[in-house]
């Protein structure tokens, strides 16, 4: 694969922790950086810049840089749609962080801009690229499980409220834990099911802990006066083919079994989950079995142990930019995730089931 020239818009945590290291590991050229906070852009320059990297003061000027083939939109959620559309209109491919947008209308406008530009658009659902997910997806694709009619999407923390950035700000984020991490679990589960046709859902959201006095939070005490988003959200989702998806998401919930993003799928022939490492279950020789594939022993190149899910996600995108492969996360799939999240919020607000048209 040739070295792709990219620009970073938003040089904060996810740029520094995920994308810039992954771009380096995939031999990409970071030719442009932009952040409204000049210190953040300067830090990215120091850690990952080269003599070819330019720091821009404004987004419009950066998008005129003809060297840029792809723009990484890594800003807070409310900016994803406008910055992605602008980059597509400037004839750049776009990698936008999750969630795709704060609402479905914006996600549809992003798809329209993508289609008009003929450029690529993908969204940062990197859990699809961990080794358990890759194996589980192959089982689904090879019809090992038969028709999948039950699934569970889990992103459940006990006391892990993020206490930095704008996580508590509904206008900036579009919501709380559901749009923050519930989105990953739902994306992973729909991807395994390969089912993007929702029929109806019932959602509930809770802001149960914003004024808790004993916080015991892993990331320090949160400010109880500034939280206007949910800290837990649950949903019962029925797909058009009758399949059921249960979604559980929380930053703070009084449970013992916690996880960042897990999935379970169960079909007419077998099932699989990532609840306790990867487990596959089925029936053979009239006997029930459970196997635990040891994905760490996989030997294909993308499975090298030091090549992380972030690196694989980056590789898939850059190869697609070079015309050497397909995107893994399509804009249409990510828009459906956004559509369902929005429906869960509406159902919780109205205390009614939400029916998709
Ligand atoms: N895939 C994942 O697992 C994952 C994990 C964390 C964050 N994210 C996503 O990444 C995005 C950024 O999150 P983060 O944790 O890096 O946040 P952050 O606050 O650390 O970084 C955001 C950066 O954007 C900059 N910014 C804000 N407004 C801007 C503007 N108008 N123009 C230019 N720059 C602007 C800020 O100065 C900051 O440096 C969010 O959408 C979040 O959902 C994804």
């Amino acid at each position: 694969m040739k070295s792709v020239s990219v620009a970073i818009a938003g040089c904060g945590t996810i740029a520094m922790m995920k994308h810039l290291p992954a771009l380096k590991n995939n031999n990409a050229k970071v030719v442009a950086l932009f952040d409204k906070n000049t210190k953040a852009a300067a830090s990215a320059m120091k850690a990952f810049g080269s003599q070819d990297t330019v720091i821009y003061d404004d987004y419009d000027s950066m998008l005129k840089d003809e060297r840029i083939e792809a723009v990484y939109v890594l800003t807070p959620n409310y900016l994803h749609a406008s910055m992605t559309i602008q980059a597509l209109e400037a004839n750049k491919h776009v990698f936008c962080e999750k969630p795709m947008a704060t609402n479905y209308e914006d996600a549809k406008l992003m798809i329209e801009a993508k289609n008009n530009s003929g450029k690529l658009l993908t969204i940062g659902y990197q859990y699809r690229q961990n080794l358990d997910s890759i194996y589980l997806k192959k089982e689904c694709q090879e019809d090992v499980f038969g028709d999948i009619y039950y699934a569970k999407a889990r992103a459940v923390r006990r006391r892990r409220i993020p206490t930095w950035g704008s996580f508590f700000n509904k206008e900036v984020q579009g919501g709380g834990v559901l749009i923050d991490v519930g989105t990953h679990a739902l994306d992973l589960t729909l991807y395994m099911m390969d089912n993007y046709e929702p029929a109806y859902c019932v959602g509930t959201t809770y802001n149960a802990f914003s004024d808790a006095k004993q916080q015991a939070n892993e990331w320090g005490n949160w400010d109880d006066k500034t939280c206007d988003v949910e800290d837990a959200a649950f949903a019962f989702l029925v797909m058009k083919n009758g399949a059921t998806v249960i979604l559980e998401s929380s930053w703070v919930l009084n449970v013992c079994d916690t996880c960042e993003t897990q999935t379970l799928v169960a079909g007419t022939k077998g099932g699989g989950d990532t609840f306790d490492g990867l487990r596959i279950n089925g029936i053979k020789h009239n006997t029930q079995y459970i196997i635990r594939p040891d994905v760490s022993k996989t030997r294909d190149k993308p499975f090298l142990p030091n090549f992380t899910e972030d690196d694989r996600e980056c590789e898939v995108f850059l190869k697609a930019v070079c015309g050497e492969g397909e995107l893994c996360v399509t804009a249409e799939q990510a828009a459906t995730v956004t559509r369902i999240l929005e429906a869960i919020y509406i159902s919780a607000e109205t205390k009614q089931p939400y029916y998709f048209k």
Side-chain angles (χ1 to χ4, degrees), residues 10 27 41 95 100 136 171 215 271-272 278 285 298-299 314 316 329 346 354 356:
N27 194 30
F95 186 116
M100 181 170 183
L136 189 60
E171 253 176 61
Q215 299 191 339
L278 177 60
H285 311 307
T298 312
R299 282 287 173 261
C314 181
V316 168
V329 181
I346 293 171
Y354 180 96
F356 296 87

Side-chain angles (χ1 to χ4, degrees), residues 128-155:
R128 292 189 187 195
Q129 296 298 338
N130 76 33
L131 298 178
D132 289 345
S133 302
I134 290 171
Y135 191 104
L136 189 60
K137 179 64 181 175
K138 283 187 181 149
E139 295 286 84
C140 296
Q141 282 170 326
E142 289 174 10
D143 198 31
V144 173
F145 304 147
D147 291 335
I148 296 169
Y149 60 90
Y150 175 71
K152 203 160 187 180
R154 280 191 94 224

Side-chain angles (χ1 to χ4, degrees), residues 1-9 19-33 44-45 48-54 56 62 65-72 314 317-318 321-322:
M1 179 173 51
K2 72 161 186 133
S3 175
V4 178
S5 295
V6 307
I8 303 291
H19 295 288
L20 285 162
L23 286 162
K24 190 174 170 192
N25 291 343
N26 278 287
N27 194 30
K29 278 197 240 37
V30 178
V31 296
L33 297 167
M45 181 70 162
F48 295 97
S50 73
Q51 57 192 23
D52 297 327
T53 314
V54 176
Y56 285 91
M62 184 174 87
D65 186 332
E66 289 186 354
R67 298 173 305 158
I68 299 168
E69 294 169 87
V71 174
Y72 276 65
C314 181
F317 176 61
L318 296 181
V321 167
C322 294

Side-chain angles (χ1 to χ4, degrees), residues 12-14 35-36 74-75 77 80 97-98 124 126 184:
T13 315
I14 203 69
D35 197 297
K36 71 168 190 183
L74 311 179
T75 46
N77 299 352
H80 289 182
E97 253 308 336
K98 64 80 193 163
Q126 77 276 4
H184 271 306

Side-chain angles (χ1 to χ4, degrees), residues 9-19 34-41 59 73-80 83 95-99 123-127 164-167 172-173 179-181 183-184 260 309-310 313:
C11 304
T13 315
I14 203 69
M16 297 295 278
M17 306 292 287
K18 173 181 167 186
H19 295 288
F34 166 60
D35 197 297
K36 71 168 190 183
N37 172 358
T38 50
K39 281 192 187 148
Y59 195 48
V73 175
L74 311 179
T75 46
N77 299 352
Y78 80 105
L79 292 167
H80 289 182
M83 291 180 86
F95 186 116
C96 175
E97 253 308 336
K98 64 80 193 163
I123 309 299
Y125 287 119
Q126 77 276 4
Y127 284 98
W164 63 93
S166 40
F167 289 97
V172 171
Q173 289 292 102
I179 205 163
D180 178 35
V181 291
T183 189
H184 271 306
E260 276 302 304
E309 63 202 28
D310 299 346
E313 176 187 66

